[in-house]
């Protein structure tokens, strides 16, 4: 017997489909989404200056954002392109930075030559050192207007309220508000793709955010970094705090290109290798010794899983 549908709480959706900014007021929260065109040249220059000279991705959406605001406490949390790109390594990547090392670059270039070719690999010009895959472990951030600033602490695995209830999220509950924003995208000089997308769902009983970075370096590596934010609208009878209880889970995975490629349903159809959902599905199903190995060739610290609550 199917569970009864949850009661729809009072709420107000502001804006119409196609508007650049829309929002929902529900259960003491105001949740706002802004989706605008790609940043113009002036905005890109300002973004680069703020990021201390970091070369900006080909497609930055510097005006896009999702902002959560808890009215009673004044707590605010946001996802922005500036915040995400602030987590990209500027300078020579070291261990744990997630940058594709020079050895990777040589491996990729050699893979583009015919086997046993005598053609020398092309010379490359020195450029500003940075992580050209635009890998970031950005989990969102409290806004400068947020008051108070919540303290994130490790979640208690024995406490059900400290985890995200996946069964609840998989139910076909009504979606009262949905938003999807792109923060940046880059084709890595035609060597692959790096793309960061944030999706938000507001349902009668909760709000849920999934921020997903997907990196593909052709012939070399696949990488995914997910941040999930969850808040239940159900009152906590044991809490005396005016601040909201929020759960945040961050996880990263990566694996060699050929490892993921072997999971194609049709070896002759490479289309799924451009699908972020397919890539994430394969990476999360691989043994952790493969996909979350801290000694992996790229050495990214992003392949660690963390669960926090505030």
């Amino acid at each position: 017997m199917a569970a009864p549908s949850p009661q729809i709480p009072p709420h107000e959706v502001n804006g119409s489909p196609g508007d650049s900014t829309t929002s929902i007021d529900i259960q003491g929260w105001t949740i706002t989404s802004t989706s605008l065109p790609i940043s113009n040249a002036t905005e890109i220059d300002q973004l680069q200056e703020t990021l201390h000279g970091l070369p900006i991705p080909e497609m930055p959406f510097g005006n896009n954002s999702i902002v959560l605001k808890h009215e009673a406490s004044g707590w605010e949390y946001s996802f922005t392109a500036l915040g995400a790109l602030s987590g990209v390594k500027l300078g020579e990547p070291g261990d744990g930075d997630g940058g594709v090392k020079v050895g990777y670059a040589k491996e990729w270039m050699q893979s583009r030559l015919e086997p046993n070719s005598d053609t020398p690999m092309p010379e490359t010009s020195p450029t500003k050192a940075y992580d050209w895959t635009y890998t970031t472990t950005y989990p969102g951030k409290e806004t400068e207007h947020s008051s108070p600033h919540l303290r994130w602490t490790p979640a208690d695995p024995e406490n059900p309220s400290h985890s995200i209830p996946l069964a609840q999220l998989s139910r076909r509950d009504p979606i009262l508000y949905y938003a999807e924003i792109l923060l940046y995208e880059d084709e890595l000089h035609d060597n692959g793709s790096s793309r960061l997308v944030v999706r938000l769902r507001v349902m009668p009983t909760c709000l849920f955010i999934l921020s997903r970075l997907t990196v593909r370096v052709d012939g070399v590596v696949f990488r995914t970094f997910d941040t999930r934010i969850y808040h239940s609208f159900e009152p906590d009878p044991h809490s005396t705090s005016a601040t909201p209880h929020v759960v945040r889970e961050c996880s990263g995975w990566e694996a060699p290109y050929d490892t993921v490629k072997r999971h194609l349903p049709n070896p002759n159809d490479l289309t799924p290798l451009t699908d972020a959902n397919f890539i994430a599905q394969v990476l999360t199903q691989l043994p952790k010794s493969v996909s979350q190995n801290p000694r992996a060739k790229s050495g990214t610290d992003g392949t660690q899983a963390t669960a926090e609550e505030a």
Side-chain angles (χ1 to χ4, degrees):
M1 182 176 179
S5 298
Q7 184 176 357
I8 306 297
H11 66 283
E12 182 178 0
V13 176
N14 305 293
S16 304
D19 288 354
S20 58
T21 297
T22 60
S23 64
I24 182 172
D25 296 313
I26 183 171
Q27 301 286 60
W29 289 81
T30 297
I31 303 164
T32 305
S33 168
T34 299
S35 181
L36 288 165
I38 190 170
S39 300
N40 60 38
T42 299
E43 292 167 337
I44 289 174
D45 288 344
Q46 292 173 344
L47 188 61
Q48 186 168 30
E49 182 178 355
T50 303
L51 293 168
H52 309 290
L54 176 76
I56 302 302
E58 295 168 329
M59 290 170 278
F61 294 82
N63 297 307
N64 288 1
S65 66
I66 284 178
V67 181
L68 310 177
K69 182 176 182 180
H70 186 247
E71 299 293 349
S73 66
W75 184 72
E76 288 188 16
Y77 200 83
S78 68
F79 287 84
T80 66
L82 175 60
L85 290 170
S86 295
V88 174
K89 173 67 176 181
L90 180 59
E92 292 292 344
D95 291 341
D97 289 330
V100 174
K101 304 293 194 299
V102 173
Y104 263 173
K106 289 182 178 178
E107 177 182 330
W108 179 86
M109 294 176 100
Q110 190 63 54
S111 73
R112 293 302 187 267
L113 301 176
E114 293 295 328
N116 305 316
S117 171
D118 293 328
T119 303
M121 286 189 292
E123 294 293 329
T124 56
S125 301
T127 58
K128 190 176 187 68
Y130 70 103
D131 178 6
W132 60 276
T133 69
Y134 292 104
T135 294
T136 181
T137 55
Y138 173 66
K141 186 179 180 181
E142 290 179 327
T143 72
E144 60 182 7
H145 307 294
S146 181
S147 177
H149 294 289
L150 299 188
R151 185 169 63 92
W152 295 97
T153 59
D156 179 359
E158 303 299 323
N159 187 337
S161 70
H162 287 196
S163 62
I164 296 177
L166 298 180
Q168 176 187 355
L169 294 176
S170 64
R171 294 188 322 215
R172 294 184 177 273
D173 289 353
I175 296 177
L176 307 180
Y177 181 78
Y178 176 82
E180 177 177 325
I181 63 167
L182 179 60
L183 293 184
Y184 64 79
E185 184 172 8
D186 193 281
E187 294 184 352
L188 309 183
H189 309 288
D190 293 326
N191 298 339
S193 175
S194 181
R195 195 169 192 261
L196 179 56
V197 178
V198 185
R199 296 180 175 89
L200 161 73
R201 280 189 289 160
V202 179
M203 291 150 287
T205 59
C206 64
L207 66 85
F208 176 69
I209 291 176
L210 170 61
S211 169
R212 171 166 289 171
L213 170 74
T214 305
V215 175
R216 182 190 85 248
V217 181
D218 292 333
V220 181
V221 70
F222 283 96
R223 180 179 295 152
T224 291
F225 186 82
D226 285 353
T227 295
R228 290 173 169 84
I229 301 283
Y230 172 84
H231 168 73
S232 172
F233 294 140
E234 299 294 329
D236 183 354
H238 304 292
S239 175
T240 59
S241 173
T243 58
H245 181 256
V246 182
V247 178
R248 181 173 70 183
E249 295 182 356
C250 301
S251 298
W253 305 266
E254 68 174 51
Y257 184 93
D258 288 341
T259 299
V260 175
K261 185 179 177 182
R262 284 196 290 270
H263 289 76
L264 286 170
N266 179 356
N268 297 317
D269 180 11
L270 303 183
T271 305
L273 298 182
T274 63
D275 182 346
N277 292 329
F278 173 81
I279 295 167
Q281 181 182 30
V282 172
L283 290 177
T284 55
Q285 291 177 351
L286 291 173
K288 289 186 178 181
S289 59
V290 175
S291 64
Q292 292 186 318
N293 181 3
R295 294 184 176 83
K297 195 170 184 180
S298 68
T300 174
D301 287 338
T303 55
Q304 307 300 312
T306 61
E308 301 167 299
E309 59 92 25

